[in-house]
Amino acid sequence: MLRIALPNKGRLSQEARELFTDAGLEIRAAGPRALTASLGGEFQALFVRAQDIPEFVADGAADAGVTGFDLIQESGRELDELADLEFGRCRLAVAAKEDSGVTTLDDITAGMRVATVFPRITKAFFHERQVAVEVVPVSGAAEIAPHIGIADVIVDLVSTGSTLRVNGLHEVATVLESTSRLISTPAVRADIARSRALDELVGALSSVLAARGKRYVMANVPRERLDDVKRVVPGLNGPTVIDIMNGGAFVAVHSVVAAATIYRTIADLKALGAEGILVTRIERLMP
Ligand code: AMP
């Protein structure tokens, strides 16, 4: 059995559930408050707070876990990062009051107080810059700290930036960029059965992530334009070209293309005389 610690609530929880479900590891919990759930086969989920997951995995209470890179760094624990799961993208940033006069890191000087939920990362950041700030650990809502006089600046997570804006703060510098990661330990790797299960898990999750950025395009194109079509839809190893029983003027072309530029691909295919263009999502992609 491979025990995987997943965030029980908050921003990472929903997206982790969706990714596991898309990868065929559907969460079968006894109820919405269940602390564990079967994921099918040899996988079991343990639902815990995202900030506790690095400790759980490092201590062996779970074999693997999904949590933010920010929380992994803050834990200071030695962990293996097996995959970047791409969701929960945010940055840990230094921010100051609009009217504070602090606009760059150079404006932050020795003795200034920095409120944060991330004291370890914050201390390391300013230590490296050789600025002896006073770190004020808080357990949440750091953005209020400069307004109530307990800190001069803050180090907090920023996604869209709207929380900083509504609290009259502006971003001064980025401390680190974060996304969610799949983590484990060398001890789990040393166990053949669990290591194999871990490889299966990484393969399943990675194939879903690879597929999310791609689309499958099918089109009937004039045979005489095939060289130009190959340039528009190069595919993984070149497009698949299939004869159509219509006398030979057209052939069917199938290819995997980037989702982000699908509109341009369709326009380019149309310009080459393509007909019957179909675009579908891909469930999994193992290049
Ligand atoms: P935003 O207003 O979109 O910049 O979001 C900032 C607020 O959401 C802050 O209170 C952050 O602590 C929190 N936040 C943003 N992104 C994340 C994330 N990926 N994980 C956890 N908290 C986040």
Side-chain angles (χ1 to χ4, degrees):
M1 191 60 92
L2 198 82
R3 296 155 303 161
I4 307 162
L6 297 179
N8 59 354
K9 55 185 176 186
R11 294 195 182 212
L12 301 182
S13 153
Q14 187 56 31
E15 292 200 71
R17 281 169 180 263
E18 275 170 26
L19 176 61
F20 274 67
T21 302
D22 287 353
L25 295 152
E26 199 172 339
I27 296 171
R28 293 175 214 144
R33 286 165 186 271
L35 302 178
T36 64
S38 168
L39 294 168
E42 64 221 293
F43 300 105
Q44 187 188 31
L46 311 176
F47 299 107
V48 288
R49 279 157 41 108
Q51 49 269 64
D52 293 334
I53 289 177
E55 302 287 345
F56 268 58
V57 176
D59 291 341
D63 301 308
V66 171
T67 194
F69 178 69
D70 52 330
L71 299 171
I72 298 166
Q73 290 296 103
E74 182 61 22
S75 77
R77 302 296 300 258
E78 278 282 320
L79 290 155
D80 284 350
E81 255 185 59
L82 305 182
D84 183 340
L85 305 180
E86 298 172 16
F87 60 83
R89 188 174 295 278
C90 60
R91 56 192 180 276
L92 192 61
V94 182
K97 275 208 295 190
E98 302 282 11
D99 58 4
S100 62
V102 176
T103 55
T104 72
L105 279 180
D106 292 337
D107 299 324
I108 300 175
T109 51
M112 282 175 119
R113 293 157 307 162
V114 188
T116 184
V117 180
F118 294 86
R120 181 191 288 268
I121 297 174
T122 302
K123 279 179 194 158
F125 179 76
F126 285 103
H127 182 75
E128 194 170 308
R129 297 185 59 83
Q130 298 183 329
V131 183
V133 296
E134 184 193 332
V135 174
V136 181
V138 293
S139 60
E143 60 274 7
I144 199 75
H147 296 287
I148 57 174
I150 63 165
D152 302 293
V153 296
I154 66 168
V155 168
D156 201 10
L157 291 179
V158 181
S159 174
T160 60
S162 69
T163 303
L164 290 185
R165 265 195 306 281
V166 302
N167 287 290
L169 304 168
H170 68 261
E171 235 172 301
V172 173
T174 299
V175 176
L176 65 78
E177 310 260 0
S178 180
T179 49
S180 54
R181 309 288 160 94
L182 178 69
I183 51 174
S184 186
T185 61
V188 176
R189 271 282 174 228
D191 176 314
I192 292 172
R194 285 188 295 167
S195 181
R196 193 184 42 76
L198 213 47
D199 287 339
E200 276 177 29
L201 177 66
V202 173
L205 298 177
S206 303
S207 69
V208 171
L209 292 170
R212 283 184 178 173
K214 301 287 184 185
R215 295 290 181 270
Y216 196 66
V217 176
M218 296 166 264
N220 296 336
V221 303
R223 188 186 292 273
E224 62 191 22
R225 308 302 302 271
L226 214 39
D227 284 341
D228 295 322
V229 168
K230 283 178 190 166
R231 274 193 285 277
V232 174
V233 287
L236 297 175
N237 307 298
T240 304
V241 179
I242 308 162
D243 277 325
I244 310 172
M245 298 300 163
N246 68 347
F250 274 71
V251 288
V253 169
H254 293 196
S255 187
V256 173
V257 301
T261 50
I262 188 69
Y263 294 102
R264 193 181 318 142
T265 304
I266 291 170
D268 289 348
L269 285 172
K270 277 189 175 166
L272 292 171
E275 294 175 359
I277 300 171
L278 289 178
V279 180
T280 67
R281 288 180 185 277
I282 304 169
E283 273 190 24
R284 297 196 193 195
L285 182 69
M286 283 143 277

